[in-house]
Amino acid sequence: MPAARPEPVPRARLLPALTLAAVLVAVPAGCTLGRQPQARPAPAPVTVAQVGSGAQAAAAGNIPEIVRKVEPSVVTIFVGQGLGSGVVWAKDGTVVTNHHVVESVLQSGGQVEVGFADGRRVAGTVRASDPITDLAVVQAERTGVPAATFQKSLPVVGELAVAIGSPLGLENTVTAGIISGLHREIPEANQPSLVDLLQTDAAISPGNSGGALVNGRGEIIGINEAYLPPSTGAVSLGFAIPSTTVVDVVGQLLKNGRASHAFLGITPQAITPEIADRLGLDRTTGVLVLTAESGGPAADAGIRPGDVLTRMGNRELEGVEDLLDELRQHKAGDRVQITLVRGGRTQQVEVTLVERPPG
């Protein structure tokens, strides 16, 4: 089981195969066994769907038909004494799941078991994973399995969202709701934040991680990632990695064994009113540079600790999530114009991004 991280949004983590794990704050929805990271308060204002929206969503689509179409493509990933969920990518047995679902076995050969909707369980091997986007590819020893269809564009806020997976070890569980928001962020302790996530009120629980979030046409619109548990005061706040990200990253993992991420070389910090007051800043928007790595792209371009980044390219930077999302749109070698404020004066620098170093 993955070690607990300080105050993360609970992902739908691995669930102990026969034991209900304690639900902690903001839990990654993956493994249902062992300690789970604690959830954080929602990092940004969110639009919360009203109670009962799941029933309203059910009226907006033929959910039984959607389930019949997609359920054969949703699997359970058994990892030691825990489990998570996954989605069949290709009929050769390629399966997509979360990195945090399989993280615990990566140092020991990446061996897992994959359980299919028809009850069959086969051996599987982790082919590649990407901690930055929290995605992984597992090769199941089975062919001829029905592959899911992944939507190549973002869903619309308010449209039907059906979650299918194995929450708390209850395989082939279906919950329904709507897409409650786009472009959400989950801050992660001691590692890059997960950004540009879908928000849904379809119920997500430990064990759902890596499972399917499906639209009314039976297309995968997201891979379930995390939820805010009731102990935070939240009601039905779940998060999923959008299919647009999944298609891009899984394509890279299958082709290259790794995913590429552009690197700026700074430690970013959101600007709270308290920070603004302490530093004498006249704004709470933008991104404060805490550190600029020596020899990194930002430092080489003249960016210093204490600078406030306000724009990258054509994008205004309201906060850290905007910076991280914009970086995801670039690749190593891209040159980007960054606008910053230093000592009350605005200036521009050009930064050449590099490949994010491992670790």
Side-chain angles (χ1 to χ4, degrees), residues 198-251:
L198 306 180
Q199 179 192 330
T200 180
D201 70 337
I204 293 175
S205 301
N208 265 124
S209 271
L213 192 66
V214 186
N215 63 17
R217 296 180 297 278
E219 299 167 324
I220 307 300
I221 53 177
I223 294 296
N224 296 322
E225 169 68 26
Y227 65 94
L228 285 170
S231 60
T232 65
V235 177
S236 298
L237 287 179
F239 302 92
I241 303 166
S243 57
T244 48
T245 300
V246 178
V247 169
D248 175 36
V249 172
V250 170

Side-chain angles (χ1 to χ4, degrees), residues 236-301:
S236 298
L237 287 179
F239 302 92
I241 303 166
S243 57
T244 48
T245 300
V246 178
V247 169
D248 175 36
V249 172
V250 170
Q252 292 187 59
L253 291 177
L254 291 174
K255 181 179 180 181
N256 306 317
R258 60 187 301 275
S260 176
H261 300 284
F263 183 65
L264 181 58
I266 68 166
T267 302
Q269 169 67 52
I271 305 173
T272 65
E274 293 76 17
I275 289 175
D277 183 64
R278 188 164 66 246
L279 298 181
L281 302 176
D282 62 356
R283 60 191 301 148
T284 56
T285 58
V287 178
L288 177 66
V289 178
L290 287 182
T291 65
E293 183 177 306
S294 177
D300 286 350

Side-chain angles (χ1 to χ4, degrees), residues 29-316:
C31 194
T32 59
L33 170 66
R35 295 177 296 169
Q36 299 188 30
Q38 297 187 351
R40 306 175 178 219
V46 293
T47 302
V48 183
Q50 297 299 312
V51 175
S53 64
Q56 295 167 6
N62 187 338
I63 291 180
E65 182 178 333
I66 294 168
V67 173
R68 281 193 296 272
K69 177 179 179 180
V70 180
E71 188 177 44
S73 302
V74 180
V75 303
T76 302
I77 308 290
F78 296 92
V79 183
Q81 299 301 307
L83 60 85
S85 302
V87 179
V88 177
W89 174 267
K91 62 182 181 180
D92 66 355
T94 304
V95 171
V96 179
T97 187
N98 287 139
H99 166 80
H100 75 257
V101 169
V102 299
E103 183 177 12
S104 65
V105 302
L106 289 176
Q107 301 303 317
S108 59
Q111 296 299 309
V112 299
E113 273 195 308
V114 182
F116 292 84
D118 61 6
R120 184 175 172 187
R121 286 173 63 163
V122 302
T125 304
V126 181
R127 291 178 57 178
S129 72
D130 181 42
I132 303 300
T133 56
D134 198 33
L135 290 167
V137 176
V138 171
Q139 185 65 54
E141 294 182 6
R142 182 179 182 181
T143 60
V145 293
T149 300
F150 287 76
Q151 180 171 285
K152 294 181 173 60
S153 59
L154 288 175
V156 177
V157 173
E159 77 170 278
L160 176 67
V162 178
I164 308 176
S166 300
L168 299 177
L170 302 172
E171 298 176 44
N172 307 317
T173 291
V174 178
T175 57
I178 61 172
I179 295 297
S180 306
L182 306 176
H183 310 299
R184 302 309 194 201
E185 175 201 11
I186 299 177
E188 285 284 86
N190 304 317
Q191 63 179 0
S193 299
L194 291 166
V195 298
D196 205 23
L197 300 178
L198 306 180
Q199 179 192 330
T200 180
D201 70 337
I204 293 175
S205 301
N208 265 124
S209 271
L213 192 66
V214 186
N215 63 17
R217 296 180 297 278
E219 299 167 324
I220 307 300
I221 53 177
I223 294 296
N224 296 322
E225 169 68 26
Y227 65 94
L228 285 170
S231 60
T232 65
V235 177
S236 298
L237 287 179
F239 302 92
I241 303 166
S243 57
T244 48
T245 300
V246 178
V247 169
D248 175 36
V249 172
V250 170
Q252 292 187 59
L253 291 177
L254 291 174
K255 181 179 180 181
N256 306 317
R258 60 187 301 275
S260 176
H261 300 284
F263 183 65
L264 181 58
I266 68 166
T267 302
Q269 169 67 52
I271 305 173
T272 65
E274 293 76 17
I275 289 175
D277 183 64
R278 188 164 66 246
L279 298 181
L281 302 176
D282 62 356
R283 60 191 301 148
T284 56
T285 58
V287 178
L288 177 66
V289 178
L290 287 182
T291 65
E293 183 177 306
S294 177
D300 286 350
I303 295 175
R304 306 172 187 169
D307 288 347
V308 175
L309 311 186
T310 61
R311 178 185 287 268
M312 175 180 280
N314 294 321
R315 181 165 183 170
E316 292 286 345

